[in-house]
Amino acid sequence: MKEKTMLTVASLLSLLFLTFHLTDDIVRGFEKGGLANLIAVPIVVLWMYAALLLTERISGYVIILLLSALGVLVPVLHMMGKGVGAGSRVFGTSGAFFFAWTLLAIGTTSLFSLILCLRGLWNRPWRRP
């Protein structure tokens, strides 16, 4: 499979998992369900635009790289703060499995996207002698 296709698929999966996770955060009360959460919409659109229309362009790689780096931080922040662990509101609830699974899926797909972006930028034609 071509790296371009892998990057597109990994980015779209990261987007899907992040929107599931944000929805779960709102439902559980970690995030307030207000207009402030709509900031996610332009971010998701930008990420989709970069993944689908700016593939193999430097701007696309940079956008996906930055947003993937933020995606990698989501599980880290939840593991360090509210959300996961024996003392959390999620632990032992019916949705704990899905909550933890989306964290792992976000971390995995975002890190994979980040690596593919770095490879894509490193292998750009202007880097060759």
Side-chain angles (χ1 to χ4, degrees):
M1 186 183 285
K2 293 176 62 175
E3 285 189 23
K4 172 187 170 185
T5 305
M6 287 190 288
L7 179 58
T8 300
V9 170
S11 293
L12 293 176
L13 283 173
S14 293
L15 278 172
L16 179 68
F17 299 143
L18 280 165
T19 55
F20 280 159
H21 185 73
L22 178 59
T23 303
D24 202 25
D25 275 354
I26 293 168
V27 168
R28 292 179 183 282
F30 293 139
E31 294 289 332
K32 293 179 181 153
L35 289 176
N37 285 311
L38 290 180
I39 191 70
V41 173
I43 293 169
V44 167
V45 169
L46 178 66
W47 200 342
M48 261 204 283
Y49 185 81
L52 296 172
L53 299 174
L54 298 178
T55 51
E56 295 188 337
R57 292 187 184 181
I58 293 175
S59 58
Y61 282 125
V62 170
I63 291 168
I64 295 171
L65 179 80
L66 293 174
L67 293 173
S68 294
L70 290 174
V72 169
L73 290 177
V74 170
V76 173
L77 293 174
H78 271 293
M79 297 293 178
M80 292 173 51
K82 59 184 175 181
V84 180
S88 75
R89 289 185 277 174
V90 176
F91 186 73
T93 64
S94 62
F97 175 85
F98 183 75
F99 189 85
W101 179 82
T102 56
L103 286 177
L104 295 173
I106 290 166
T108 303
T109 56
S110 294
L111 184 58
F112 187 61
S113 294
L114 191 133
I115 291 167
L116 289 174
C117 283
L118 290 174
R119 283 180 51 95
L121 286 170
W122 187 260
N123 293 329
R124 295 293 301 166
W126 50 268
R127 292 238 349 119
R128 296 186 192 120

